[in-house]
Amino acid sequence: MHSDNQDSTSNAYDFDLLVIGGGSGGVATARRAAEYGAKVAIIEADRLGGTCVNVGCVPKKIMWYGAQIKESLSVAADYGLDVTDNGFNFSKLQQARDTYVARLNGIYDTLLAKSGVTLIRGYGKFVDQHTISVDAQHYSAAHIVIATGGKPTRPDIPGAHLGIDSDGFFELKTLPQKVIIMGAGYIGVEIAGVLNTLGSDVSQAFRGDKLMRGFDEDIRDHLQQQMTSEGIRLLSGHQPSQLETVDSQIKVTWQDGSNEMVDCFIWATGRIPNTAGLDLEKADIKATAKGLIEVDENQHTSVPHIYALGDIIGEIDLTPVAIATGRKLAARLYQNQTATQDFDLVPTVVFSHPPIGTIGLSEQQAKQQYGDKDIAIYQSTFTPMVYALSEHKVPTLMKVICQGENQRVVGLHIVGKDADEMLQGFGVAIKMKATKADLDNCVAIHPTSSEELVTLR
């Protein structure tokens, strides 16, 4: 394991620390290092905040909230409210969302300035192991952090450019009438739920037999049932062979020869590390064929004073993980601390309709790791009380997976209303190695959905 050099070397270099990438992870690293007294610069060509602020978590959650508010109108009359849905102004939501994001961009700029971090605008490329070039200007540093994030990808088929990706989704000015989303992952699922709830005719196509590969099988099945019941058309075993423009629409031809017409086609077929243009080879930084940068537990790349974090290292592509990783790195470099990032038991939420909250192992993973006989499953499906007065009901599924004689909780999964807000507290407990008895010993808050998790039998 490499040892970090905490000594300031600003006399030998322009900066103590150079960060390539002004996303959440890069900004967190730069600001924390500056707080510890380091001379820091951050390089960014685009808007500050990266994917999360500009084309990810933040604008996605605003769109999800818009859909949730519209969805709540379906039960308003059951509670005595005389509410009429007079239509939806997509443009108004889009403009308000973009104004909010622009304000966040400005806040990030201000935070960097207040922290004393130098902002360098442009694309950074390695010149050597201590030097980065930005628009022909060279900047040197004792330590360099790569935090350039990821970007959407799409297959190489004729007409692929006629579709948009998840970035393009946030550029839509009007609500598409008929849309196909291609991809089985969380990005496709989230976009499908939002557009369907806001009024689009939505189909989601994917190559396999189910959505959300890697998640617990019961979670996958429950989500698909709910998406179908809400009117989303799921097309398993589908893959396009060609897109073409016909009379201002997009003609989608599937590999089986069938075709259909849509107003909008959205690629949600995955993301790749945004490392191709960094000239890593000039600094002898090792990366995989897919562009992932290889790091050890201290975020060192193959070059000891160059580090990588976030979506480019192949761990967990979540904003809070990148932020926590960067802050720990800064503390190791400039505060003599030793803590490294723990990638185990990270709570995750998918803002689908209904949302998913999950932490730890799926049932399948738990049984594979510990054996069937060492695993106990506790599960419940119920209708949240908010739907008690309504014919429109969206059931919730909860599942707790326990291991060993003391039944330590190794997995917890929720699909249903408020799953996103319930998970955090249970995540703390599970991170502290809570057992089923610990859950049972906590008095339930009644009436809530979360009480199901402490009353499972």
Side-chain angles (χ1 to χ4, degrees), residues 150-165:
K151 60 183 179 181
T153 184
R154 62 184 72 185
D156 183 17
I157 64 168
H161 66 282
L162 297 174
I164 62 174
D165 54 29

Side-chain angles (χ1 to χ4, degrees), residues 228-287:
T228 300
S229 69
E230 294 297 328
I232 296 173
R233 175 173 164 246
L234 297 181
L235 303 174
S236 61
H238 276 62
Q239 194 168 359
S241 59
Q242 178 176 297
L243 304 183
E244 53 191 318
T245 302
V246 177
D247 297 331
S248 75
Q249 285 191 304
I250 297 173
K251 180 181 178 181
V252 182
T253 301
W254 302 107
Q255 286 190 345
D256 65 3
S258 62
N259 61 74
E260 52 190 299
M261 307 292 291
V262 293
D263 303 303
C264 180
F265 188 95
I266 302 177
W267 294 107
T269 45
R271 295 175 64 83
I272 58 174
N274 195 17
T275 56
L278 291 174
D279 290 347
L280 297 175
E281 66 281 358
K282 292 186 178 179
D284 295 321
I285 300 169
K286 292 182 181 178

